[in-house]
Amino acid sequence: MASSERVHIVGAGLAGLAAATRLARAGRQVTLYEAASQAGGRCRSYEDAELGCRIDNGNHLIVSGNLAAMAYISEIGATATFSTRDKAIFPFIDLATNETWQVRPTEGLMPWWLLVPSRRAKGTSLLDYLDAERLARAGENAVVTDIVDKRKTAYRRLWAPLCVAALNTAPEEASAKLLGRLFRDTFGQGGAALHPLMPHQGLSESLVEPALGQLRARGAEILFGHRLRALKFTNSRISHLDFGRSEIALGPNDKVVLAVTAAVAADLLPDLTAPNAFRAIVNAHFKWDGPVPAEPFIGVVGGTAEWVFVKPGILSTTTSAAEPIVDLPAEELAQRLWNDVARACNLGNVRLPVWRVVKEKRATFAATPEQLRRRPGPKTNWSNLFLAGDWTDTGWPATIEGAIQSGFSAAAVLEA
């Protein structure tokens, strides 16, 4: 490898950070560019003046079976920044009936837990879980509701919540095959693969800052406030990166990893086929120092909120596939979501505390069969240009695991 050879990575979200850290570990010279003033993309922490504390911009869940995420956490030296739950426990409440339950998979690969009603979603039968195989074998054009009967309790309390949370797409339009694959790679691996990892502080402290520190220690150049305006081409290669105020000429052996959003990538590469339909997520954060549940999160069925996350001094909610509510006034959303939090956490009739509602109208690509066919791989038509991002064809939805997988895949193809 020539000493002047450099890899230019555009985008410092988790996809870009995963590619950068893996390539730097392999001895590559790396320059990382980020349009914003901080790294992390949708997975970062910041100081919120209204709440008077530091919060995560979104709520994300990592489990022990997320192999790419676990490898990334280990490689950046961040294992000690997480607490790993010693059991796979997923508590739920149905606000329509006030029923509560816990989904508790057994540790091994044999799904003995399905034989125990108290370990399944309440009101579901053993036969309901055979839908997992039917989902995994579904055709490329099938949506979840083609496979799972909407009239069943299992649909309302298992498949619909899992689909919306993981795919950020309503079951009526979400890919059945992708949901089946996700279930196989998570619940299908047994409880040992489903132990939640909870950051001691926040997403930035666990997933972003350790990576930046390692990159700097390995001599990487990290440039914030650099928004890529255009790519310039010579024959079959990228020859220049145009950042508006400056232009970077690439050496003959330099390579580029484009780790930006699907929309930005499509603007930079007009011939690129990429997802072009997106779905919203609404997160809310409430300042709260009162009593809270012992579990770090609660699944909510039948409410506006879909998940409640319990953090020191903060109760947060996430609502995925949020098109029906995303345009509501923030004040109305805050009250509706807080009502769900109070019921889910058994707080009683308490006033709305200080709050922050965060709307992401284009949070992830829509995980429909049509959009999945638009996901490109890491290779492009240009010999020195590679793609990363949770919207690329990782085989996973747009999650932390998918983003990190994409960065690792781009790095592997670049190194090949």
Side-chain angles (χ1 to χ4, degrees), residues 114 125-138 144 146-150 152-155 158-159 176-177 179-181 183:
L114 295 178
S125 72
L126 174 62
L127 295 178
D128 289 326
Y129 293 79
L130 296 180
D131 285 336
E133 275 298 312
R134 298 177 61 223
L135 287 164
R137 296 197 307 268
V144 172
D146 290 336
I147 307 300
V148 182
D149 188 344
K150 292 179 67 174
K152 289 185 175 182
T153 300
Y155 172 82
L158 173 66
W159 298 116
K177 196 175 198 67
L179 182 61
R181 183 182 304 147
F183 190 87

Side-chain angles (χ1 to χ4, degrees), residues 158 173 245 284 368 397:
L158 173 66
E173 58 178 1
R245 293 174 299 174
T368 65

Side-chain angles (χ1 to χ4, degrees), residues 145-317:
T145 50
D146 290 336
I147 307 300
V148 182
D149 188 344
K150 292 179 67 174
R151 297 168 297 181
K152 289 185 175 182
T153 300
Y155 172 82
R156 186 169 181 271
R157 290 184 172 176
L158 173 66
W159 298 116
L162 180 62
C163 176
V164 170
L167 275 59
N168 193 30
T169 306
E172 293 83 359
E173 58 178 1
S175 165
K177 196 175 198 67
L178 184 58
L179 182 61
R181 183 182 304 147
L182 177 82
F183 190 87
R184 179 199 65 198
D185 290 346
T186 53
F187 285 87
Q189 302 304 307
L194 288 165
H195 293 200
L197 274 71
M198 311 307 297
H200 290 160
Q201 292 179 266
L203 295 172
S204 287
E205 289 82 0
S206 288
L207 296 174
V208 179
E209 292 171 8
L212 295 175
Q214 185 182 98
L215 287 169
R216 292 187 178 104
R218 294 182 183 276
E221 185 179 20
I222 302 171
L223 301 174
F224 294 109
H226 278 62
R227 184 179 299 278
L228 185 63
R229 305 294 181 180
L231 295 165
K232 295 189 177 180
F233 307 90
T234 300
N235 299 322
S236 63
R237 300 184 73 257
I238 305 297
S239 60
H240 294 78
L241 303 176
D242 182 359
F243 291 98
R245 293 174 299 174
S246 63
E247 188 172 279
I248 307 297
L250 303 187
N253 296 314
D254 284 4
K255 295 180 171 60
V256 177
V257 176
L258 197 59
V260 295
T261 66
V264 171
D267 285 342
L268 294 168
L269 300 167
D271 294 330
L272 177 68
T273 298
N276 58 6
F278 305 90
R279 294 295 179 264
I281 293 177
V282 171
N283 293 290
H285 307 277
F286 303 94
K287 191 167 185 177
W288 181 253
D289 294 317
V292 295
E295 297 298 335
F297 54 85
I298 304 168
V300 179
V301 176
T304 302
E306 290 165 353
W307 292 92
V308 176
F309 291 84
V310 179
K311 304 173 184 178
I314 292 288
L315 295 173
S316 297
T317 69

